[in-house]
Amino acid sequence: MMDSGWDSTDGKWSAAEEAIMHATYRALLTHGYANLSISRIAEEFDKSKASIYYHYDSKDELLVAFLDFAADRFEALFDTQVGEDPSADLEHVVEKLLPLDPAEEQRQLHSVQVELRAQAVTEEAFREQFSKLDDRIVATVRDIIERGIAEGEFRDVDSTRVAEHVLAVVNGAMYGRATAERKSTAAVRVSLSSYLDAELHRGE
């Protein structure tokens, strides 16, 4: 969802807002959604609760902003790391979305993301932000595939259909890893790689 090392995005967020977002990120990793509070975010922010309430009226409003912030960071990350080789770029995106051997922070982050997504069932503002994030993932994958088609590296396929499949696989694997004792990431990655190879390269 986000990486605490990502750079700022074109001045959309003030320095104070960015600091609050990073504090929220750290608090979510430490406490999870269920035990998150403005007080705990303020502890990570090293400021008073009043300084957070100056920008956000409630925890939920702050979390909606956090999801927007994370979506911006996601887009900025892939904008800067995509190169000139569509196959390598697609492999890089899949690795970022579904790492074979995630670090502990990544595991915690996936669990937090599942907790936050659960709120989208009843909270429209959360649903809108996750829809935006999913749309950006699909657009990133679709754009790489379309570039590969234009350059003759990939065969002509429905790029949106393939990108939606990638998103569904990634989200499903994330839920399985976060909510059950599943250790199937390697098998899922192999299956996804086989699918992409069959769709984009074979039968040309």
Side-chain angles (χ1 to χ4, degrees):
M1 189 165 58
M2 69 170 284
D3 181 325
S4 57
W6 290 355
D7 294 330
S8 60
T9 52
D10 301 329
K12 175 179 175 181
W13 304 85
S14 70
E17 288 170 334
E18 288 201 14
I20 292 170
M21 294 300 105
H22 285 286
T24 302
Y25 173 75
R26 293 190 295 271
L28 279 166
L29 290 183
T30 301
H31 304 289
Y33 173 82
N35 296 311
L36 187 70
S37 66
I38 294 293
S39 294
R40 283 175 166 161
I41 294 170
E43 289 172 4
E44 297 290 345
F45 187 39
D46 198 25
K47 301 283 185 179
S48 67
K49 290 192 295 183
S51 63
I52 295 177
Y53 281 120
Y54 176 81
H55 295 277
Y56 305 101
D57 291 335
S58 67
K59 181 181 78 172
D60 280 352
E61 182 181 319
L62 190 160
L63 286 173
V64 169
F66 173 77
L67 292 174
D68 188 31
F69 180 84
D72 285 349
R73 292 304 182 274
F74 171 86
E75 193 164 48
L77 176 69
F78 288 114
D79 280 349
T80 58
Q81 294 191 0
V82 166
E84 298 182 355
D85 182 344
S87 290
D89 291 343
L90 188 57
E91 183 178 348
H92 169 74
V93 169
V94 170
E95 168 60 25
K96 284 290 186 180
L97 294 172
L98 190 62
L100 278 174
D101 186 23
E104 180 58 29
E105 181 175 326
Q106 288 176 303
R107 293 179 188 276
Q108 290 176 291
L109 182 56
H110 288 162
S111 295
V112 165
Q113 187 170 358
V114 169
E115 286 185 283
L116 291 174
R117 274 189 181 268
Q119 310 312 308
V121 174
T122 56
E123 295 292 336
E124 183 177 355
F126 280 70
R127 188 160 56 252
E128 288 176 355
Q129 290 301 329
F130 275 108
S131 295
K132 182 188 298 184
L133 179 59
D134 285 353
D135 287 346
R136 290 184 179 188
I137 292 172
V138 168
T140 296
V141 175
R142 184 186 64 232
D143 290 349
I144 293 172
I145 293 171
E146 290 180 352
R147 180 158 49 87
I149 294 170
E151 295 175 4
E153 184 170 342
F154 300 152
R155 66 191 185 91
D156 192 6
V157 298
D158 183 335
S159 59
T160 298
R161 174 180 59 79
V162 176
E164 289 285 359
H165 182 87
V166 171
L167 174 67
V169 170
V170 167
N171 282 345
M174 187 189 310
Y175 272 92
R177 187 160 54 199
T179 62
E181 295 297 328
R182 303 287 298 166
K183 297 181 180 180
S184 58
T185 302
V188 174
R189 275 285 299 276
V190 169
S191 178
L192 182 56
S193 294
S194 296
Y195 166 80
L196 289 172
D197 186 40
E199 287 291 315
L200 301 177
H201 295 292
R202 292 181 189 163
E204 294 177 290

